[in-house]
Amino acid sequence: GRRTQLLKGLPATSTVEENAAAGVSVCTFNVNASEGVAILPTIVNSNPLTEAFDIESKGNLEYTVVTTGNPVLDYETMPKSFDLQIFVEDMTGRTDVKTLTVQVKDKNERPVFRGNMAFQTVTIYVLEGTPAGGIYQVDAADPENAELKYSLLPASVPFLIEESGTIFSTKVFDYEKDPHSYFLSITVTDPDGLNSTKAVNINIINTNDERPYFTTKQSIYRIPEEQSPGTVVANITAKDPDDEDSPSRLFYSIQSSDRYFSINPETGVLQVTGRINRDALPLRLHPNVSVVVRVEDSPSSGHASEMAITIIIDDINDNPPECNPSTFRKEANENMTVGTFLLDLKNYCKDIDVDPSNNQFNFTGLSGFGSNNFALESTVSGRLVMTGSIDLENPANLGVEVYSLTVRVQDVAYPNYSSKYPSYTSFDIIYIYIRIKPVNEFFPVFSDLSYEFNVPEITKVGSSIGRVIAKDNDWPPSVITYSIVAGGGTRDYTNIFWISPTKGDVKILARLDYETTQKHILTVQASDQEKTATVSVTVNVLEVNDEEPVCSPNFYSFQIPASLAVGTNINGFRIECQDRDSDPRSFRYVITEGNMNNHFTFSPSAGSNISQLILASRFDYESGLDTNLIYRLRVYITDDNLLAAKDKTTGLTQTGTVSLSIRVIPNPTTVITTTPGFTLVTKRENLYSESAWYVPFVITLGSLLLLGLLGYLGFLLATCVRTRRPAAATAASATLIHFTFCLSSQTMTKLNTVFDGEARDPVTGKMYEFNTRSGARRWKKSNEPLQAAPAMQVTSSATDDSGQGTDREEAPSKKEPSEKRKELTAERKPAAKHPAGQSETPGQDRLRLQKQREE
């Protein structure tokens, strides 16, 4: 925009005090813009950079530069002057930029504490007995670097502060006599009288300088034997003079090694830690136990005192009857007769008390789950017998396998208690677990008398096709295992079904084939490890369209003239299709690839297993509509013709493929009469099941044996010839035997001189020409074009057992001109003949070349 005078009152110089709060006015100016302001006055730059200033509007195009408070201006740490560039633009596009210089003025500030005193109240700890002297250095500073003075209140405390700010103690403190803490106010003042005050706490720390003493006077204690661990014997207490105003923190210990007692190191509680048996040595002879208790005011290197304690052990009747073992596990068969003896408890129990009046005991209190089926013959004998027969299948006993019984054995003599148990009961408990052994009484029973599963033949291998379920009325329920014991085999597989041993799920291991087997009958066995049951399982294989149409031939190649009439059955060609699982009327014929301009079609296109190739529209090469001379058609034969329209998207269909190669011979400008020709390529594929592994094995083994036999016969023949040759015979008169082995795809014989086809020899890789009528062949000369031949009708016959086919062709309508025969005859010169005057075949040429290389 145009630069003009819009800012009135600028440039200017203004001052502001340090520490100014936010919103303090620094400078006021006006904007001379009657049309209005497009861009409000803005600080676009500052030197140095800062955000301490901003512009606020006062109304009527009057503005004020104010402080923001962020950051707060500080004369001591920040620049002393700031140059602010202020920009404005009015509605007409005119702009103006002016500079405002702001100078920061120094202001006297209070002194400030530094270090810990700047943020918190400082606590100083002084050990009692510490000599008088300096205990803390106060750190303070004046922003203007003026000299400061320190003072301390109250004045009555035994502390003072020097001019350097060091706090001194003026006496040696005694924690037991002097106050434990002091509160001081430290003031620092600058020359102008501005000051700051902080608090300081001084705590006097107690030190260990006194010996603890025992406050417990009793030294002899009595306790009965067999007290449980943790039983309190005595509570030993002590006191430390250093802890007059608080509980003493003392540490207790037993000096002599003792296996019966221990003392809590913090509370001084003397308690039992080991078994105290009055009837065993050494307490049988010496029932008094002496221990020395020590108390210290520090875990190490402190003051300590010791005290001797004597504990007298009192004897009790502490030996109840003991049974070893105290837990018994017995087994009994279900349906056992009443009165059957199970266990004699008296053989396993005894009382070790010496006094006969204390070692008599009784068996009482037979209880527990199922105790009504058992009884004790008498309280003295302790013989356990059965009183009832137990049947696990009975609903009253269903699910019960183990009966838990308890028998009480106790002293006859008073006081009838046992200290071996925490509850101090007057008896011992014997635990008896009687397991009732189940007897296998029932056979497994299947849920159905027979099973029948319907399975589509395309079901995936490994799929579950059904489940059989068997149950056993025995309790507890027996584990049922399933197995296939008969049926389910085919010619290729011993068994194509598998059953889960635990769940009874029946799965297929191989692909089902409706065309081979429509039904499988299996015998499934269920076993509970002792008893078995069988059931018949019928698997019905459901027919599914899973076979592809197979057409003959599946590959065909021929030539047709461009002038062939529409509607003509091309070369009499037809395909015949078969499908193992589809009706002949279910086939549809669709040309999916290569049918440019839709010249070809099949008739009928559906509803028959035989269809002819028909020319649907004529060729038009003159106008350029057609340009291709070779048509490679791919024909799809689908077996869905009989399906409804809605079923074709969901129904299962299969598709076969036939490939056709058609070469169109355009109308020549110069008519050349040649022998009609065609090329027929028949593709055969030998299919056999993957499981028939023995087929390639047998073929390979037979081939090896045949080769070995032929080699052996050749060896014998060569030996025979060498032995019968005359000794004086010359090389010219010698019998010459040639063994020629020639591997060729076909035997080629030159019967006609018109070569209208070409191919590559699979052995030598050289190109040769052949006559499609007679089969005659010759090696192709370089740069020699293939001789054109008019179209002819060709019908493919059925293939014989040897895999070779025969063709029938229609005779040409015109005779071959004599001039052409002469030209073709001239091609057969002696140079292209065998020395014997015969036509040389590609196989003979290979033998001749090989012989030349060997020479």
Side-chain angles (χ1 to χ4, degrees), residues 186-306:
I186 308 299
T187 303
V188 57
T189 308
D190 68 1
D192 293 335
L194 294 177
N195 60 68
S196 298
T197 301
K198 287 287 186 178
V200 175
N201 296 336
I202 300 178
N203 294 334
I204 307 302
I205 304 302
N206 188 18
T207 60
N208 185 16
D209 56 353
E210 301 289 341
R211 182 184 297 276
Y213 59 91
F214 287 97
T215 58
T216 300
K217 303 304 180 182
Q218 182 179 351
S219 61
I220 299 176
Y221 300 88
R222 303 181 71 94
I223 62 170
E225 65 170 327
E226 297 292 356
Q227 295 297 304
S228 60
T231 301
V232 176
V233 178
N235 189 9
I236 308 301
T237 60
K239 188 68 176 177
D240 189 346
D242 291 323
D243 302 326
E244 291 297 334
D245 297 333
S246 61
S248 298
R249 181 171 176 79
L250 302 176
F251 302 92
Y252 300 88
S253 62
I254 295 179
Q255 291 303 100
S256 59
S257 176
D258 192 89
R259 64 178 179 174
Y260 302 115
F261 305 99
S262 65
I263 192 168
N264 189 304
E266 296 181 357
T267 63
V269 175
L270 185 66
Q271 58 188 6
V272 176
T273 57
R275 182 186 176 192
I276 304 175
N277 189 0
R278 177 66 177 80
D279 304 309
L281 294 175
L283 294 180
R284 178 183 291 273
L285 301 177
H286 305 284
N288 299 339
V289 179
S290 297
V291 295
V292 177
V293 178
R294 179 183 179 90
V295 60
E296 298 176 278
D297 58 8
S298 177
S300 61
S301 67
H303 302 283
S305 298
E306 294 183 351

Side-chain angles (χ1 to χ4, degrees), residues 457-514:
E457 63 176 322
I458 61 171
T459 301
K460 293 183 179 179
V461 174
S463 300
S464 177
I465 62 174
R467 171 182 288 186
V468 298
I469 300 175
K471 294 183 179 180
D472 192 329
N473 291 330
D474 285 311
W475 186 266
S478 302
V479 177
I480 303 296
T481 58
Y482 302 91
S483 61
I484 299 175
V485 296
T490 63
R491 181 182 61 184
D492 298 329
Y493 297 94
T494 304
N495 200 328
I496 62 175
F497 298 94
W498 175 84
I499 189 169
S500 172
T502 57
K503 298 181 178 180
D505 288 331
V506 180
K507 297 184 178 181
I508 58 175
L509 301 178
R511 185 167 179 256
L512 302 176
D513 188 7
Y514 176 85

Side-chain angles (χ1 to χ4, degrees), residues 366-371 374 384 403-407 430-432 434:
L366 175 63
S367 61
F369 179 74
S371 58
F374 308 92
L384 183 67
Y403 291 89
S404 301
L405 308 178
T406 57
V407 176
I430 297 175
Y431 299 92
I432 304 172
I434 300 178

Side-chain angles (χ1 to χ4, degrees), residues 345-615:
L345 299 176
K346 196 172 184 63
N347 294 335
Y348 302 96
C349 300
K350 63 180 180 177
D351 190 328
I352 62 173
D353 284 324
V354 177
D355 190 344
S357 62
N358 293 331
N359 60 17
Q360 300 299 317
F361 52 88
N362 291 330
F363 298 95
T364 60
L366 175 63
S367 61
F369 179 74
S371 58
N372 58 321
N373 295 309
F374 308 92
L376 294 170
E377 287 186 347
S378 68
T379 59
V380 177
S381 67
R383 288 173 56 87
L384 183 67
V385 296
M386 292 194 66
T387 60
S389 178
I390 300 175
D391 184 6
L392 293 180
E393 288 75 35
N394 189 328
N397 301 321
L398 195 62
V400 178
E401 295 185 17
V402 178
Y403 291 89
S404 301
L405 308 178
T406 57
V407 176
R408 178 183 299 177
V409 53
Q410 66 182 48
D411 267 326
V412 176
Y414 183 83
N416 295 331
Y417 67 84
S418 173
S419 62
K420 293 186 66 177
Y421 301 95
S423 59
Y424 290 83
T425 57
S426 60
F427 51 84
D428 195 1
I429 300 296
I430 297 175
Y431 299 92
I432 304 172
Y433 300 97
I434 300 178
R435 179 180 179 272
I436 305 302
K437 295 174 60 177
V439 177
N440 193 350
E441 304 173 84
F442 300 95
F443 284 84
V445 177
F446 284 94
S447 60
D448 293 326
L449 296 178
S450 63
Y451 295 86
E452 184 173 1
F453 304 137
N454 296 322
V455 185
E457 63 176 322
I458 61 171
T459 301
K460 293 183 179 179
V461 174
S463 300
S464 177
I465 62 174
R467 171 182 288 186
V468 298
I469 300 175
K471 294 183 179 180
D472 192 329
N473 291 330
D474 285 311
W475 186 266
S478 302
V479 177
I480 303 296
T481 58
Y482 302 91
S483 61
I484 299 175
V485 296
T490 63
R491 181 182 61 184
D492 298 329
Y493 297 94
T494 304
N495 200 328
I496 62 175
F497 298 94
W498 175 84
I499 189 169
S500 172
T502 57
K503 298 181 178 180
D505 288 331
V506 180
K507 297 184 178 181
I508 58 175
L509 301 178
R511 185 167 179 256
L512 302 176
D513 188 7
Y514 176 85
E515 289 72 27
T516 302
T517 306
Q518 290 79 34
K519 179 182 294 186
H520 299 271
I521 299 178
L522 317 178
T523 300
V524 175
Q525 175 180 280
S527 172
D528 62 1
Q529 316 308 319
E530 293 184 14
K531 293 179 170 59
T532 61
T534 59
V535 70
S536 175
V537 177
T538 301
V539 180
N540 296 320
V541 181
L542 303 181
E543 183 179 15
V544 178
N545 185 14
D546 62 337
E547 299 285 345
E548 295 181 358
V550 178
C551 299
S552 176
N554 61 358
F555 179 81
Y556 209 80
S557 177
F558 47 81
Q559 299 178 4
I560 62 174
S563 59
L564 191 65
V566 174
T568 302
N569 177 201
I570 299 176
N571 285 8
F573 175 78
R574 72 173 187 174
I575 55 176
E576 182 175 353
C577 301
Q578 295 179 351
D579 193 330
R580 296 175 62 191
D581 56 10
S582 297
D583 189 275
R585 297 173 299 166
S586 64
F587 297 127
R588 287 191 308 109
Y589 304 88
V590 179
I591 302 175
T592 60
E593 296 180 13
N595 192 11
M596 287 167 288
N597 296 332
N598 297 321
H599 286 302
F600 306 97
T601 187
F602 275 91
S603 178
S605 61
S608 174
N609 67 326
I610 300 176
S611 183
Q612 296 179 340
L613 181 63
I614 303 299
L615 184 66

Side-chain angles (χ1 to χ4, degrees), residues 38 178 185 196 260 327-328 341 347 387 398 418 443 461 487 582 616 635 712 744 746 767 809 815 828 844:
D178 295 326
S185 295
S196 298
Y260 302 115
T327 301
F328 297 88
F341 168 75
N347 294 335
T387 60
L398 195 62
S418 173
F443 284 84
V461 174
S582 297
V635 184
Y712 180 69
S744 177
Q746 298 181 11
M767 295 297 297
E809 60 180 353
K815 295 184 179 180
R828 297 194 296 269
Q844 294 171 344

